[in-house]
Amino acid sequence: MSSILKNRYQSYQEPQKVKAQNLYPFFRNIQSEQAAEVQVEGKNVLMFGSNSYLGLTTHPKVKEAAINAVKKYGSSLSGSRYMNGTSDMHVELENRIAKFLGKEACALYSTGFQVNIGVLPTVAGKGDYLFLDRYNHASIFEGAKLSAAQSVVFRHNNMTSLEQKLSKAPAEAFKFIVVDGIFSMEGNIVDLPGIVALAKKYNAAVMTDCAHAIGVIGENGAGTPNHFGLTDDVDIIGGTLSKSFASLGGFCAADEDTINYLKHTSKSMIFAASITPASIASALAALDIMETDDSHRLKLWDNTHYTLKVMKELGFDTGASETPIVPIFVRDDFKAYKLTKLLFERGVFVNPVVSPGVSPEDSLIRFSIMSTHTHEQIDKAAEILYQAAKEVDLFATA
Ligand code: PMP
């Protein structure tokens, strides 16, 4: 074995520095299912760091569907969708997601990340222009890097900034605006009416990544375009199966011709193994629930309004959040790590968002709300947060 790589990377000590301070919060070992209360490294903690917004990863019907799928189809299809990796369940899920979102067709990818790194370079190439919100998910920026198109980043949810950039691009060039439907750090909803108006004015196509919006906003949780009544004005709706769908995988929905093109040309679809039977079956079962039982979404919203109210009353800065993603702005990496640790020791699991993910003055800890939380659990977490925040002098600098 050569030591070339070891020599290159031994100076990378960032995680070790955090570990040396006993503050390292990543890769924690979870030993139970992802319910509102979980066991982590031998400790029972309240889970406020899961994206299972509707709480369906623990739903008996979802679990049973996964088990039955393994019994019938085995553990994996061991191949790409294009070749031997398409089951009748994949086709059923594609058809049902297309219908659910109000689009003609849908293509499943193996993750939401693969949707963005597959769609962007396939749809936009040399001579084309991509317009990206500064706070879009990392996978959108990775997709843009793989594209030969010119990427143009506009200020977060700022239509003046977007218009300035659109107006500078050549009138005849293909323009593609790609935005998150709900922003994954801030928890605010994209200004889709503003985007659609500009897209019409400048003749641009639009894609919304509804990873955090599916199951949360829109009719039966159909996401951001449906929420604004703008489904026909959005060309591509992308998303993940790993959040409300309680599974693993990704999808994009559009008109039949665009989906046909993507299915036969986008590399992350053709050259990657397909979603496993258990994951397809869980997503189908979750979709059944989303379409027929709105109690989970209603409870999620009740919990979301309650959390935002409690956190604001305690004096926390929740920024522009209006969804189950509730950031608590700390604006200091060390304090974000320290708070995460204190919370964990006292029984609350949250995720810190620190630099380089965000600039240090934007660092935060993120509470992700699920329908399965109780108000008592939210109260308890908020109280623990409040005590810990005083100990790290959060309010002094807020
Ligand atoms: N897009 C957005 C907006 C996301 O938040 C995420 C995941 N956090 C993804 C895409 C990637 O999805 P997946 O986890 O299915 O790869």
Side-chain angles (χ1 to χ4, degrees):
M1 191 177 69
S2 84
S3 51
I4 298 172
L5 292 182
K6 198 170 166 43
N7 289 341
R8 263 169 85 85
Y9 298 122
Q10 65 191 358
S11 62
Y12 173 70
Q13 292 292 324
E14 297 315 308
Q16 283 80 346
K17 282 183 205 153
V18 183
K19 280 179 190 166
Q21 298 177 77
N22 203 16
L23 292 174
Y24 186 75
F26 304 117
F27 297 101
R28 284 172 277 184
N29 281 219
I30 298 174
Q31 297 151 316
S32 64
E33 59 180 9
Q34 203 127 142
E37 204 167 330
V38 293
Q39 205 186 45
V40 186
E41 294 163 4
K43 207 173 143 56
N44 283 336
V45 292
L46 295 174
M47 173 48 89
F48 282 96
S50 170
N51 297 307
S52 175
Y53 296 119
L54 299 174
L56 298 181
T57 56
T58 56
H59 195 289
K61 284 191 182 150
V62 176
K63 296 203 300 190
E64 195 188 325
I67 291 163
N68 289 340
V70 172
K71 284 186 183 152
K72 179 167 175 195
Y73 296 87
S75 56
S76 170
L77 294 178
S78 300
S80 103
R81 289 294 315 288
Y82 198 58
M83 314 287 264
N84 58 310
T86 296
S87 72
D88 48 1
M89 284 194 305
H90 288 76
V91 178
E92 183 187 346
L93 185 58
E94 284 181 337
N95 291 338
R96 286 200 44 200
I97 290 180
K99 201 161 164 227
F100 177 60
L101 298 178
K103 289 288 175 199
E104 280 175 12
C106 168
L108 289 174
Y109 288 69
S110 306
T111 64
F113 203 101
Q114 281 169 253
V115 172
N116 290 329
I117 61 169
V119 171
L120 268 65
T122 309
V123 168
K126 199 164 181 315
D128 301 336
Y129 284 76
L130 283 165
F131 296 87
L132 312 171
D133 186 292
R134 188 166 93 80
Y135 284 3
N136 276 348
H137 189 257
S139 54
I140 294 177
F141 287 104
E142 289 302 307
K145 272 195 227 162
L146 291 174
S147 166
Q150 166 96 41
S151 285
V152 182
V153 178
F154 60 93
R155 294 218 311 275
H156 175 51
N157 224 7
N158 185 314
M159 295 308 117
T160 311
S161 169
L162 174 58
E163 177 150 27
Q164 273 167 4
K165 312 270 176 185
L166 280 166
S167 65
K168 285 190 192 138
E172 69 288 356
F174 170 66
K175 304 177 193 70
F176 192 27
I177 306 170
V178 185
V179 286
D180 284 15
I182 290 179
F183 290 94
S184 57
M185 302 297 172
E186 285 256 288
N188 55 332
I189 302 173
V190 71
D191 177 3
L192 194 57
I195 302 254
V196 164
L198 289 176
K200 285 189 176 154
K201 185 167 170 190
Y202 291 92
N203 196 26
V206 178
M207 173 173 177
T208 55
D209 176 343
C210 282
H212 295 272
I214 296 294
V216 177
I217 57 175
E219 195 187 347
N220 291 338
T224 310
N226 178 294
H227 171 76
F228 287 111
L230 291 171
T231 301
D232 291 343
D233 296 299
V234 172
D235 299 270
I236 298 181
I237 305 174
T240 179
L241 302 181
S242 68
K243 304 186 195 298
S244 290
F245 272 112
S247 183
L248 181 70
F251 61 84
C252 84
D255 66 276
E256 251 171 45
D257 294 325
T258 302
I259 292 300
N260 176 53
Y261 175 67
L262 284 169
K263 273 177 126 167
H264 293 91
T265 54
S266 73
K267 306 284 190 296
S268 62
M269 146 92 59
I270 297 172
F271 297 103
S274 71
I275 303 172
T276 63
S279 294
I280 288 284
S282 341
L284 276 167
L287 184 54
D288 284 341
I289 296 167
M290 281 192 246
E291 287 182 327
T292 54
D293 174 4
D294 61 6
S295 65
H296 304 280
R297 196 166 32 85
L298 296 177
K299 184 67 179 35
L300 173 68
W301 275 103
D302 171 64
N303 283 344
T304 298
H305 292 139
Y306 187 71
T307 307
L308 282 167
K309 175 174 151 299
V310 168
M311 294 301 186
K312 280 182 188 157
E313 278 171 7
L314 288 172
F316 290 110
D317 175 5
T318 54
S321 171
E322 49 186 331
T323 70
I325 298 169
V326 179
I328 303 291
F329 282 93
V330 178
R331 306 194 188 283
D332 177 306
D333 281 357
F334 176 78
K335 285 184 184 176
Y337 279 127
K338 182 84 184 156
L339 271 177
T340 306
K341 179 183 157 70
L342 288 175
L343 261 63
F344 187 65
E345 282 171 358
R346 296 166 193 185
V348 182
F349 186 115
V350 289
N351 291 310
V353 180
V354 290
S355 64
V358 290
S359 53
E361 63 275 15
D362 286 335
S363 64
L364 55 96
I365 55 173
R366 185 172 61 174
F367 277 72
S368 301
I369 308 305
M370 298 189 285
S371 67
T372 41
H373 288 127
T374 63
H375 283 205
E376 291 69 34
Q377 288 171 328
I378 294 165
D379 284 337
K380 188 172 166 197
E383 182 52 35
I384 291 171
L385 173 67
Y386 185 64
Q387 287 307 326
K390 283 201 285 194
E391 288 167 41
V392 302
D393 273 342
L394 180 68
F395 299 113
T397 54

